[in-house]
């Protein structure tokens, strides 16, 4: 159980968000003061804007905000590295200066008031509090459909993801320090948080339309994020090659027997037919099987190169 007022860091990755930032600042500043007055957070708490290499005025605005208010901080990445990397940069920067950290998007789609509920859960002893959106009404049909199909496909491949949870969450100091032991470069933070094994709970929030500006997740970024999730967490696509290799190999054996039977025991065989189709069946089957075996080893190498922590020591007793 935590009792003292925690130092909270609110981390927001921002990419070309000049249109939305003034309102985000206004709402978060109001929330910050309410949390302070309600004695939910310590005075050292702060809001950290991470500029993900924006081309517009985002960084100039962040610098002005940080100058005007001591509880506002900013860091700027030298170029656009993507939402997940920007968030990681913020987590790295804030990790030694806070007791718990909340990450959320800069566009106010995720209701910041849920932070107060997250803090309550933190005080109850939860190390990870996931923000879950209550509905997807503010999404287009396309976004809703692709998102839901994605969760289903991931689940089929054995990757458990929290439905309707993006990157709005609270992490305790312990969760942060565990998280920092991941050294991988293909980030899929919502999947990685699941691997921490810490006491986790959910908090529900209402999702809104983006307050201003347009989505910074282009179709290309969305697809590459989805693919990063699959390839960082599942070896299923490689397994699929092995499975189809085995199946096709078995089928090719039966087909070969059929071809040999036709050649030796019937007079239906056209000259040259057997010597053409037999190698096609056989070599095709063997090739896929061999690819599958290679895939299995590549999968192992991939897992090894990620150097994921093998365990986290949660408590010690002496
Ligand atoms: N973002 C970022 N770098 C990028 C793309 C997005 O830091 O390359 C930030 C963006 O500023 C926002 C958050 O990630 O704070 C989520 O992006 P967005 O709201 O555009 O995505 P959507 O809600 O449409 O999925
Ligand atoms: Mg958004």
């Amino acid at each position: 159980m935590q009792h003292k007022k925690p130092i909270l860091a609110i981390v927001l990755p921002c990419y070309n968000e000049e249109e939305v930032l003034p309102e985000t600042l206004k709402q978060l500043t109001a929330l910050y003061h309410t949390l302070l007055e309600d004695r939910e957070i310590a005075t050292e708490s702060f809001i950290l804007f991470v500029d993900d290499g924006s081309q517009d005025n985002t960084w100039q605005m962040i610098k002005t905000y940080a100058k005007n208010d001591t509880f506002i901080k900013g860091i700027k990445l030298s170029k656009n590295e993507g939402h997940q990397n920007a968030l990681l940069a913020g987590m790295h920067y804030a990790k030694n200066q806070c007791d718990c950290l909340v990450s959320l998007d800069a566009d106010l789609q995720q209701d910041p008031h849920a932070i107060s509920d997250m803090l309550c859960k933190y005080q109850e002893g939860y190390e990870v509090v996931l923000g879950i959106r209550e509905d997807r009404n503010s999404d287009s049909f396309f976004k809703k459909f692709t998102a839901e199909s994605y969760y289903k496909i991931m689940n089929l491949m054995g990757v458990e993801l929290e439905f309707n949870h993006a990157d709005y969450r609270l992490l305790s100091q312990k969760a942060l320090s565990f998280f920092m032991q991941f050294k991988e470069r293909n980030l899929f933070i919502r999947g990685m948080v699941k691997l921490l094994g810490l006491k986790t709970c959910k908090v529900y929030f209402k999702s809104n339309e983006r307050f201003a500006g347009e989505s910074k997740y282009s179709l290309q970024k969305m697809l590459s994020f989805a693919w990063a999730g699959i390839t960082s967490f599942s070896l299923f696509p490689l397994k699929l090659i092995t499975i189809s290799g085995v199946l096709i190999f078995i089928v090719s054996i039966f087909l070969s027997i059929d071809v040999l039977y036709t050649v030796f025991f019937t007079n239906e065989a056209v000259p040259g037919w057997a010597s053409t189709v037999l190698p096609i069946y056989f070599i095709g089957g063997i090739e896929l099987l061999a690819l599958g075996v290679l895939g299995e080893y590549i999968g192992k190498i991939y897992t090894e190169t990620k150097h994921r922590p093998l365990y986290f020591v949660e408590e010690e007793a002496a």
Side-chain angles (χ1 to χ4, degrees), residues 17 105 107-109 143 210 215-216:
E17 298 287 12
D105 291 351
D107 59 359
L108 297 172
Q109 280 194 289
K143 187 128 191 172
R210 182 177 243 284
S215 171
K216 304 302 178 291

Side-chain angles (χ1 to χ4, degrees), residues 134-153:
E134 279 173 355
D135 56 67
R136 282 193 166 262
N137 295 342
S138 61
D139 272 356
S140 67
F141 172 77
F142 176 72
K143 187 128 191 172
K144 207 155 58 182
F145 176 75
T146 45
E148 285 177 2
S149 317
Y150 184 66
Y151 282 103
K152 283 184 192 140
I153 294 173

Side-chain angles (χ1 to χ4, degrees), residues 54-55 82 144 148-149 157 163 173 175 181 213 221 235 308:
S54 302
Q55 287 96 31
K144 207 155 58 182
E148 285 177 2
S149 317
M157 294 197 296
F163 199 58
Q173 180 58 245
Q181 293 178 43
K221 272 188 183 164
L235 295 178
R308 273 194 183 155

Side-chain angles (χ1 to χ4, degrees), residues 301-315:
I301 296 171
Y302 179 64
T303 319
E304 292 291 336
T305 51
K306 269 202 291 233
H307 295 296
R308 273 194 183 155
L310 294 177
Y311 53 81
F312 300 104
V313 178
E314 191 179 353
E315 277 180 54

